Amino acid sequence: MADFDVGTPILEAPVAEGSSDQHMVLNMGPQHPSTHGVLRLVLEIDGEIVVRLYPEIGYLHTGIEKTCEAKFYQQVVPMTDRVDYLGPLANNLCYCLAVEKLLELEIPEKAQWIRVLLTELTRINSHLIWLGTHAMDIGALTVFLYTFREREDILRIFEMVAGQRMMTSYFRIGGLAMEPPLGMYERIRGFIKTFPEKIDEYSNLLTGNPIFINRLKNIGHLSKEDAIALAVTGPVARASGIDVDLRRDMPYSSYEKFQFNVPVSDGCDVWARYIVRLEEMRESVKIIHQALDGMPEGHYKANAPKIVLPDREVMKTQMEALIHHFKIVTEGFAVPAGEVYQQIESGHGQMGYYVVSDGTAKPYRVHMRYPGFASLQALETMCKGRMLADVVAVIGSIDIVLGEIDR
C-alpha cells in the first residue's frame, strides 16, 4: 500500500486504446454512518468493484497512552474505560492485571470471580451493539431495536454496581472499587434467565432471512493463512478457522475454573463471523451461570493497605487507615521497576497492555494493543474484488471501535 497516494483524486487504470474508462478514487467517510466511527476509507473502484482500499485513521486521536504517563497508577483506570468504550470493564481488567503482575499482588478469589462475571456481561453488551448496528447496516432495523432493549438491561446492572452505565471504572488495582451491592446477583440471574430466548429471537429474524443471507454469505473472505499473517484475533480469527481463545489457552482471573466452548467456523466470511458471535453470547451465559452458582466467599480486594484504599468505615475509625488513604490519594503508590505485558480475550479479540515502571508512582510507559487495528488492516484483503455495497457489510463484520484503533 506504500505506493498508493491517498491524495490523488483519480488513478488511471490500464485500459484498451480508445477507451475512456478509468478507475475512480472515492472517499467513504469520515462521516459515513456505516463506518462505526471516525474512519476514512479511500476506495479505488472500477465501476462498483473495489480494486484497492486504504483505511486512514487519525480523526479521533485522544493521546490516552501519553496521558497515562502523567497519572498515578490508580488514576489510569478511568482512562482505560474510554479506549474501547463498548467494553470498558474488559479494559479495566487487562490494565489492572498488568499492574498487579508488577506489584506481585494476589487478588482474592471472590474478586476474581466477580471480574469474570462482569467481564462476560461486558462481552454480551459489546456483541449486542455489534449485532444491532451490523444488522442495521444491512437494512434490518428491527434487530437494532431488540438488541438495544437487552443492552439497556445490562447497562442498568452496571449502573447498579458502579453508579455509571458505561464508564464504570469498577475494577481497581487490587480488586474491586467497592463491595457488590445487595441484589446484584439476583438482578443478573433474572437477566440471563430470559436472555437465551432473546438470542433465539435474533436468530429467527436473521439466520433464515434470504436477504440477510445473500448480503453475508461468501462476502469478505479472509482465509486462515491471511488471518494469521495479518495478526487478526478474536471472533474474526475464529470465523476463519483459528481455534484460539486466551480465556481457555492462557487463562487469567480464574477462567481455568470455568467450562465453556469456543465457537469456531471455517466459513471465513461475514456470515461465519455472525454465527461465531451469536454462539459466543450463548457461551458467555454459561460462564455467568457458573460464576453465580460457584461464587466463593471472601474479600473483594487484596490485603495491601499501602496500595489498596481502605474501607470508608475503617478509615473513619483507625488513624493508620486514614494515613494510608491520604498518601495513596495524594502521592500514589510506587510500583517496582520493571516491565510487563498482559493480554486478555476481549469481545473484539486479544487485548494487551504493556506497562513499564521506573519505580515511581506514575507509569513510565503504557502501550495498549487492541484487536481492532489488526482487523482493520485486513479490510483490503476482505474487500478487494467485491462490490462497493459489500464494504459496509465487511466493516460491520469486523466490529471495529475507533476509540481503540486511534488512541
Side-chain angles (χ1 to χ4, degrees):
M1 295 298 294
D3 60 335
F4 187 18
D5 183 0
V6 297
T8 304
I10 293 179
L11 297 179
E12 294 189 0
V15 294
E17 186 177 350
S19 173
S20 60
D21 291 344
Q22 58 186 6
H23 289 188
M24 179 180 292
V25 172
L26 181 71
N27 280 315
M28 181 181 284
Q31 274 75 41
H32 196 291
S34 292
T35 53
H36 298 185
V38 195
L39 169 68
R40 177 192 182 207
L41 292 182
V42 185
L43 297 164
E44 182 186 344
I45 57 175
D46 179 8
E48 290 196 36
I49 303 298
V50 176
V51 178
R52 302 179 75 181
L53 182 151
Y54 179 85
E56 184 180 347
I57 63 174
Y59 300 93
L60 195 67
H61 188 63
T62 57
I64 285 179
E65 291 182 345
K66 189 65 179 175
T67 305
C68 292
E69 299 172 16
K71 302 287 185 181
F72 294 139
Y73 279 94
Q74 69 267 29
Q75 292 175 326
V76 174
V77 174
M79 305 290 295
T80 65
D81 277 321
R82 289 153 176 81
V83 185
D84 174 8
Y85 43 79
L86 302 185
L89 283 166
N91 309 343
N92 296 167
L93 177 60
C94 194
Y95 170 73
C96 289
L97 289 173
V99 179
E100 287 160 4
K101 269 187 178 180
L102 287 170
L103 290 166
E104 297 183 352
L105 203 58
E106 187 171 345
I107 308 304
E109 194 173 24
K110 180 180 180 180
Q112 293 186 40
W113 281 56
I114 294 175
R115 284 177 171 185
V116 168
L117 173 67
L118 295 178
T119 302
E120 291 306 313
L121 272 177
T122 299
R123 188 184 312 279
I124 294 174
N125 172 51
S126 180
H127 282 357
L128 285 174
I129 297 172
W130 155 77
L131 180 58
T133 54
H134 184 40
M136 186 170 61
D137 291 346
I138 307 302
L141 178 60
T142 305
V143 180
F144 176 85
L145 301 175
Y146 286 4
T147 57
F148 269 61
R149 175 188 60 193
E150 276 67 70
R151 176 178 181 258
E152 185 66 21
D153 291 336
I154 295 176
L155 292 183
R156 285 173 180 160
I157 292 172
F158 291 161
E159 186 175 22
M160 176 187 186
V161 171
Q164 295 287 340
R165 288 162 56 85
M166 286 185 65
M167 311 306 174
T168 53
S169 300
Y170 183 65
F171 298 162
R172 301 293 175 84
I173 297 168
L176 310 175
M178 62 189 82
E179 184 78 34
L182 294 174
M184 181 190 80
Y185 301 136
E186 290 73 18
R187 185 83 167 266
I188 296 175
R189 281 189 190 278
F191 171 75
I192 61 171
K193 182 179 180 181
T194 60
F195 184 63
E197 299 173 5
K198 307 301 183 183
I199 301 176
D200 293 338
E201 192 173 18
Y202 312 148
S203 181
N204 291 337
L205 283 168
L206 296 176
T207 306
N209 188 310
I211 299 175
F212 194 73
I213 294 171
N214 290 336
R215 289 299 308 275
L216 269 60
K217 276 202 171 181
N218 302 317
I219 304 296
H221 186 270
L222 182 68
S223 68
K224 183 176 183 179
E225 294 72 25
D226 284 340
I228 293 172
L230 293 168
V232 172
T233 61
V236 180
R238 290 189 284 275
S240 292
I242 302 174
D243 188 6
V244 175
D245 190 312
L246 295 180
R247 295 173 296 172
R248 178 197 64 194
D249 303 329
M250 298 176 64
Y252 50 89
S253 196
S254 297
Y255 264 109
E256 68 277 4
K257 298 179 181 178
F258 294 85
Q259 299 295 321
F260 60 97
N261 299 317
V262 177
V264 180
S265 171
D266 57 3
C268 303
D269 58 3
V270 176
W271 179 260
R273 290 163 215 146
Y274 158 73
I275 295 297
V276 164
R277 288 195 182 92
L278 213 59
E279 292 304 312
E280 280 194 4
M281 287 194 284
R282 299 185 191 276
E283 294 303 318
S284 289
V285 171
K286 292 181 184 178
I287 295 173
I288 292 170
H289 270 299
Q290 294 173 59
L292 290 172
D293 294 340
M295 184 64 64
E297 296 295 330
H299 298 288
Y300 67 93
K301 57 186 177 182
N303 182 23
K306 295 185 178 181
I307 297 171
V308 180
L309 290 174
D311 292 332
R312 301 293 294 183
E313 292 303 316
V314 175
M315 183 192 70
K316 293 174 183 177
T317 56
Q318 297 182 16
M319 177 57 70
E320 189 176 10
L322 178 62
I323 293 171
H324 286 318
H325 184 280
F326 180 80
K327 289 182 72 66
I328 291 172
V329 171
T330 59
E331 301 175 5
F333 51 81
V335 173
E339 56 185 334
V340 67
Y341 181 73
Q342 172 66 46
Q343 56 184 347
I344 69 167
E345 189 75 34
S346 77
H348 297 107
Q350 292 181 15
M351 172 197 303
Y353 271 72
Y354 174 62
V355 180
V356 181
S357 171
D358 58 1
T360 65
K362 296 178 180 178
Y364 178 78
R365 182 78 172 92
V366 176
H367 176 64
M368 306 163 182
R369 192 278 186 196
Y370 276 81
F373 189 82
S375 297
L376 190 62
Q377 74 173 351
L379 196 57
E380 184 184 40
T381 302
M382 292 187 277
C383 293
K384 196 170 182 179
R386 300 302 312 181
M387 299 289 287
L388 180 60
D390 294 333
V391 175
V392 176
V394 175
I395 290 176
S397 76
I398 62 177
D399 192 16
I400 57 172
V401 176
L402 267 296
E404 71 173 45
I405 293 168
D406 185 20
R407 297 179 302 281

